[in-house]
Amino acid sequence: MLELTGLTAGYHGGTVLHGLDLSVPAGTVHAVVGHNGAGKTTLVHTVAGLMRPSAGTVRLDGRDLTGLPAHRIARAGIGLVPQGRRVFAGLTVDEHLRLSYRPPRRGDPERPGVWTPARVTELLPRLGERRGNRGAELSGGEQQMLALARALLGSPRLLLLDEPTEGLAPALVRQVHGLVATLAGEGIAVLLVSPSPAQAVESAGALTVLTSGRATLRMDGADARADGSALHAALELATTAV
Ligand SMILES: Nc1ncnc2c1ncn2[C@@H]1O[C@H](COP(=O)(O)OP(=O)(O)O)[C@@H](O)[C@H]1O
Ligand SMILES: [Mg+2]
């Protein structure tokens, strides 16, 4: 279970996240929807330890991780799939998998599942087929799978997914949401951020609209799927926009 309380963060120019409270129980997907510039990546980076919050706390299963460096946060069980995938153009799929494999060490908190390169390629068979290809030779969808594989190889308790379906064809978008649901089914907590309400609600158990770094709407995922009007209103979109 991830618990954020009063999370506040920003850059030299000022505050971007304004006291966000949010929780993601194990085995559930929480979607954060917001326009470009709303602070989604700032949120994800702050939870992952790439930025230090100026106030508030980050807790994972009761353990206070606030302000720890990224490598300690990763060891505590938080895996990041960054916006834009960030795969290495010159490294092969196999090299990515071997470099990312970080089995839990003694003293690390327990994991919902331990991921090895073999298990990851079982879940994502396309990566097995592309084992010898370099990052630059992969399609956008394959790069996204590789970015997900890298995060899984740390055997996370919580996955942070920053716009995982950006630029993907509809069939791949569905595949990514299917994978997200599968991973949540294994007990992983998932925090997914997206500018697109249609893509965010698909696998979400709960949903937060982020507007200029503040939560402006909370909804149950099933309610949002049944009736998107409140969601669209919060995002100031026409109901026909999705
Ligand atoms: N490295 C940075 N330095 C200064 N300002 C930044 C930086 N990254 C993002 N910002 C600003 O923070 C705000 C939120 O950005 P971001 O978290 O990337 O939003 P989102 O991911 O929702 O598009 C924006 O106003 C953006 O210009
Ligand atoms: Mg972003």
Side-chain angles (χ1 to χ4, degrees):
M1 164 94 149
L2 173 74
E3 272 183 293
L4 309 178
T5 53
L7 198 65
T8 304
Y11 306 90
H12 303 302
T15 303
V16 169
L17 273 186
H18 298 268
L20 189 70
D21 297 324
L22 191 150
S23 62
V24 190
T28 71
V29 181
H30 193 117
V32 172
V33 201
H35 295 301
N36 285 333
K40 303 182 298 298
T41 296
T42 302
L43 164 63
V44 160
H45 282 182
T46 306
V47 175
L50 297 171
M51 291 175 61
R52 279 180 80 96
S54 53
T57 59
V58 176
R59 282 199 176 79
L60 189 64
D61 297 312
R63 194 169 153 217
D64 190 352
L65 305 180
T66 314
L68 291 181
H71 69 277
R72 300 245 344 248
I73 296 221
R75 259 195 82 184
I78 295 185
L80 168 66
V81 179
Q83 182 168 16
R85 290 66 124 152
R86 304 286 180 116
V87 306
F88 294 104
L91 294 186
T92 65
V93 167
D94 211 34
E95 287 165 340
H96 277 94
L97 299 185
R98 280 190 284 124
L99 287 172
S100 308
Y101 180 38
R102 234 182 321 101
R105 289 187 276 174
R106 206 181 325 162
D108 282 355
E110 216 174 293
R111 309 304 167 110
V114 173
W115 290 86
T116 60
R119 186 172 173 218
V120 157
T121 39
E122 222 168 90
L123 178 76
L124 305 165
R126 187 71 188 144
L127 292 183
E129 292 163 21
R130 302 287 263 154
R131 191 178 293 281
N133 288 95
R134 296 182 191 284
E137 297 165 340
L138 303 178
S139 70
E142 290 164 349
Q143 290 185 1
Q144 191 64 57
M145 298 303 164
L146 183 53
L148 177 62
R150 270 203 313 209
L152 283 176
L153 286 167
S155 297
R157 306 156 74 78
L158 168 77
L159 265 179
L160 302 168
L161 305 177
D162 195 346
E163 302 203 26
T165 55
E166 193 178 16
L168 300 186
L172 275 163
V173 171
R174 278 194 299 278
Q175 194 186 342
V176 168
H177 283 291
L179 285 166
V180 168
T182 300
L183 295 169
E186 303 217 348
I188 299 176
V190 180
L191 179 63
L192 181 156
V193 309
S194 169
S196 154
Q199 294 182 12
V201 298
E202 200 154 319
S203 50
L207 187 139
T208 294
V209 172
L210 190 68
T211 308
S212 302
R214 292 183 168 87
T216 50
L217 180 73
R218 310 271 189 186
M219 269 191 102
D220 183 72
D223 292 345
R225 281 187 288 278
D227 176 5
S229 55
L231 182 54
H232 289 125
L235 286 162
E236 296 178 358
L237 292 172
T239 39
T240 51
V242 168

